[in-house]
Amino acid sequence: MKDLLKFGEPNAKLKKMLKELKLKLKTFTLPAGHTCPAANECLSRADKITGKIKDGPNTLFRCFAASAEATYPSLRKMVWHNLGLLKDSLVDGVDACADLICASLPDKFDIMRVHVGGDYFSKKYLQAWIEVAKRNPEKIFYSYSKSLHFFKEFALPENLVLTASRGGKHDDMIELHGWKEALVVYSEQEAIDKGLEIDHDDTHAAFGKENFALLIHGTQPAGSAASKALQVIKKKRKEVLIH
């Protein structure tokens, strides 16, 4: 039997959205950082073998997906399995890659989060997902992406929903193209000050039209501003639970 891509189940954050909307969601992921050509402020990579994390030269906050790969060897194995199959298929072109993705899609889902970790690592790879969305018009595919230098060249089908992830190498393109964007904030107050709603369950990403904020999460480098902000957030949550 031909090797197929592997898909994941929604985490607690996504399950909240699905419960309210009564929809079925699956996730797809690739090696964080290793497949993110435009990552900058969040650039982090987990070593394929050891899982040891290495941050980029301009990292302000660590990618949560890289942290997860560092923690779970089974996840590392899955994301590198997916990347290997995709790169092999792309040797034969965009359609071959789209064929692989379509053949691998789970039987039952309404929404697909494309890239919990990782990003569109090449123009042809993005084109493959555009083709997948066109072949499955009844499904919703959504992504956060910093690979905006690829997106600028294509008109996306309505069911492939892009959220431009600020903090990358091509932020200047966001306003230029009028893309919806997500901004990582270090506190609820920062989101309020910027006039942004915080997306707690991906409803803004999958269905919204307006810019929004994401509250810092994951495992952050010790002593960093992101780590200190995360500690404050956790303390406030603990106080709420106690009271």
Side-chain angles (χ1 to χ4, degrees), residues 125-136:
Y125 175 55
L126 170 59
Q127 285 178 279
W129 273 107
I130 292 173
E131 177 61 23
V132 170
K134 288 178 178 178
R135 293 184 194 179
N136 296 273

Side-chain angles (χ1 to χ4, degrees), residues 38-223:
N40 186 34
E41 293 178 2
C42 66
L43 180 59
S44 309
R45 300 182 181 94
D47 184 89
K48 180 179 179 180
I49 306 302
T50 66
K52 184 177 179 180
I53 287 220
K54 183 177 181 181
D55 296 318
N58 302 315
T59 299
L60 298 180
F61 51 91
R62 183 172 288 167
C63 173
F64 76 95
S67 296
E69 289 173 33
T71 305
Y72 302 106
S74 59
L75 176 59
R76 282 205 307 279
K77 184 177 179 181
M78 183 181 78
V79 297
W80 285 99
H81 164 88
N82 285 342
L83 181 59
L85 290 183
L86 289 169
K87 285 192 169 183
D88 286 347
S89 69
L90 283 167
V91 172
D92 296 320
V94 171
D95 284 341
C97 187
D99 290 344
L100 169 66
I101 298 170
C102 285
S104 304
L105 288 175
D107 291 333
K108 294 182 180 180
F109 74 96
D110 304 297
I111 314 174
M112 173 75 66
R113 176 166 170 175
V114 183
H115 306 132
V116 175
D119 205 341
Y120 297 95
F121 55 82
S122 73
K123 188 189 303 184
K124 287 185 176 180
Y125 175 55
L126 170 59
Q127 285 178 279
W129 273 107
I130 292 173
E131 177 61 23
V132 170
K134 288 178 178 178
R135 293 184 194 179
N136 296 273
E138 75 286 0
K139 312 289 188 184
I140 295 173
F141 301 88
Y142 75 98
S143 296
Y144 297 88
S145 181
K146 291 182 171 68
S147 295
L148 306 178
H149 54 314
F150 299 143
F151 277 92
K152 69 177 184 177
E153 299 187 29
F154 303 102
L156 302 182
E158 288 187 4
N159 63 324
L160 180 56
V161 183
L162 166 68
T163 296
S165 180
R166 186 168 285 275
K169 296 177 181 177
H170 305 293
D171 285 356
D172 58 307
M173 294 183 182
I174 298 174
E175 285 85 7
L176 182 64
H177 293 275
W179 286 319
K180 174 181 68 173
E181 69 168 294
L183 173 71
V184 172
V185 295
Y186 286 9
S187 68
E188 293 185 0
Q189 187 59 50
E190 184 183 351
I192 292 170
D193 293 344
K194 294 180 182 297
L196 299 172
E197 288 188 9
I198 294 176
D199 192 351
H200 293 288
D201 59 7
D202 263 15
T203 51
H204 289 66
F207 303 107
K209 303 293 184 183
E210 303 298 324
N211 299 338
F212 61 90
L214 295 170
L215 197 57
I216 189 76
H217 57 291
T219 303
Q220 298 302 327

